[in-house]
Amino acid sequence: MMTENKLRYMLDHGMSTVATRLQSSWPTVTETVGITGEYDYVEFLAEYAPYGQYDFENIARAAEVHGMGTMIKVDYQNRYYVAQKAVASGFQAVLFTDHRTAEDVEKTIHMITPECPEFEGGMGFVNRRWVGNTCSMRQEDYARMASSTVKAFMIEKKEAVDNIDEICSVPGLDMVQFGPNDFALSSGFNMADDMERVREAERKVFEAAKKHGVHARAEMNSAADMEYYLGLGIRHFNMGMELRILRNYLKQQGEEMNQMLRKAGLK
C-alpha cells in the first residue's frame, strides 16, 4: 500500500520543504540523498532523463526507505500516461511542464484526479503498486488516496506568466515554480542579458501564488540563493540538478589539480 503522502502532509500543515532534482534512475542515487537526512523529497527529472517503468517503482521504494517523498517532472506531450504510471508506482507529486493557460491546467488536473462523484476527475482505479497490486481496496479509500497527489506546475512560458492570476485560480492546483530559461526563450531574449526582466517575471508569479493561496517553490543552484527567496516569502526550495552539481564539483576540483601540476612544473 502507498505510504502517507509526505509532501501533501507538509503542505497541508504549513511546513517548509527542501528537495533536490535527480536525473539518474539508479535508486542508489535516491538512497544517497536519503542518507543525508536533509531532504524532504526528491524530484526525478523524467522530462530530461531516460527511464523505464521499473525505475519509477525503484525510485519510490528507495525514497520510502529513508522517509522521503517523491515528485516526477513530466513532458507535456505524454503527461497523462507518464503521470498515471508514476503515481501508481508510488510517486506522490507530479510537476507538469509547458502549460500556458488556465484551461490547460484544468484539463491536466482533471485527468490526474479520480473519477467519482466526490472529486469529478477523469482517472479510474489504477491497479498498481500504490494499492498493493490488488483490487480489494475500497473505492472511496482509493479516491481519497489518489486525490492526495500533489499537482505542481511550471510557469515557464511568457503566456503562462501573462495568465498567472487565472492559472492560480484553478481548483486543485497545489504548487507553482517559475522557469527562467523557458520564459526568456519564449519571450525572445537571452536570459543572461536581462536578469532583471527574469526576476520581475518570477516575482509576479510568486505574488500571484501568494494571493491565491497556492504554494510557490524556488529552484536554486546553492543554499546561498535561499536568503533572497526567503525575503520574498518563499518556503519551498529545490536544490540544483544532479548533473549540474556533479559537473561544477568536477570542474572545480579538476582546475585545482591542474593548477597544482602546472605550479610543480609537471604539466
Side-chain angles (χ1 to χ4, degrees):
M1 298 294 294
M2 182 178 178
T3 59
E4 181 179 42
N5 189 317
K6 181 169 184 177
L7 182 55
R8 168 62 65 195
Y9 178 88
M10 296 184 77
L11 295 182
D12 289 349
H13 288 79
M15 303 168 69
S16 300
T17 64
V18 173
T20 190
R21 311 170 79 198
L22 303 180
Q23 288 159 286
S24 174
S25 60
W26 187 25
T28 299
V29 176
T30 297
E31 285 192 302
T32 301
V33 176
I35 288 169
T36 70
E38 299 295 339
Y39 294 88
D40 300 305
Y41 65 101
V42 294
E43 176 191 335
F44 176 59
L45 297 172
E47 184 188 21
Y48 308 143
Y51 61 85
Q53 289 189 39
Y54 292 116
D55 298 320
F56 292 166
E57 297 183 358
N58 289 330
I59 292 170
R61 288 190 189 101
E64 289 164 10
V65 166
H66 296 281
M68 293 191 300
T70 42
M71 174 184 283
I72 185 169
K73 185 179 184 183
V74 299
D75 291 280
Y76 182 82
Q77 288 79 5
N78 62 348
R79 62 196 183 280
Y80 300 150
Y81 176 82
V82 176
Q84 184 183 102
K85 296 299 184 184
V87 297
S89 298
F91 274 80
Q92 300 173 343
V94 183
L95 178 60
F96 294 99
T97 61
D98 297 332
H99 287 60
R100 294 166 174 80
T101 66
E103 183 180 8
D104 291 342
V105 173
E106 287 173 353
K107 289 179 180 178
T108 294
I109 291 177
H110 175 81
M111 291 307 298
I112 200 66
T113 301
E115 184 173 355
C116 62
E118 182 178 358
F119 297 105
E120 299 182 336
M123 186 175 72
F125 193 110
V126 185
N127 182 14
R128 288 283 296 267
R129 178 175 177 265
W130 66 345
V131 297
N133 296 295
T134 176
C135 292
S136 62
M137 188 177 192
R138 291 170 59 86
Q139 277 69 41
E140 60 190 273
D141 293 335
Y142 170 84
R144 283 193 291 269
M145 180 194 74
S147 69
S148 72
T149 299
V150 174
K151 295 93 172 171
F153 287 80
M154 293 296 302
I155 306 299
E156 51 191 344
K157 306 299 184 183
K158 181 181 182 301
E159 186 176 359
V161 174
D162 291 342
N163 294 325
I164 187 59
D165 277 300
E166 292 82 359
I167 288 174
C168 285
S169 299
V170 175
L173 171 65
D174 294 305
M175 178 180 283
V176 294
Q177 177 176 309
F178 178 69
N181 287 292
D182 271 85
F183 172 74
L185 177 67
S186 63
S187 300
F189 71 94
N190 294 313
M191 183 173 68
D193 296 338
D194 196 346
M195 281 304 300
E196 181 50 41
R197 184 175 175 185
V198 173
R199 290 296 197 195
E200 181 181 354
E202 184 178 50
R203 289 192 296 269
K204 179 180 178 180
V205 170
F206 291 160
E207 289 167 4
K210 182 178 180 180
K211 180 171 67 174
H212 294 279
V214 173
H215 298 280
R217 185 177 75 162
E219 178 185 324
M220 307 181 303
N221 292 323
S222 72
D225 297 332
M226 199 170 190
E227 186 173 359
Y228 169 78
Y229 289 111
L230 284 170
L232 296 179
I234 303 304
R235 297 296 179 263
H236 304 286
F237 303 93
N238 195 17
M239 175 60 66
M241 190 161 56
E242 179 188 358
L243 292 184
R244 182 192 300 155
I245 294 169
L246 178 61
R247 182 191 66 228
N248 290 344
Y249 176 81
L250 291 175
K251 180 175 175 57
Q252 177 191 9
Q253 295 300 309
E255 286 178 348
E256 290 182 11
M257 287 189 292
N258 281 302
Q259 287 174 2
M260 292 175 70
L261 287 173
R262 285 190 288 270
K263 186 176 181 180
L266 298 175
K267 196 167 185 178

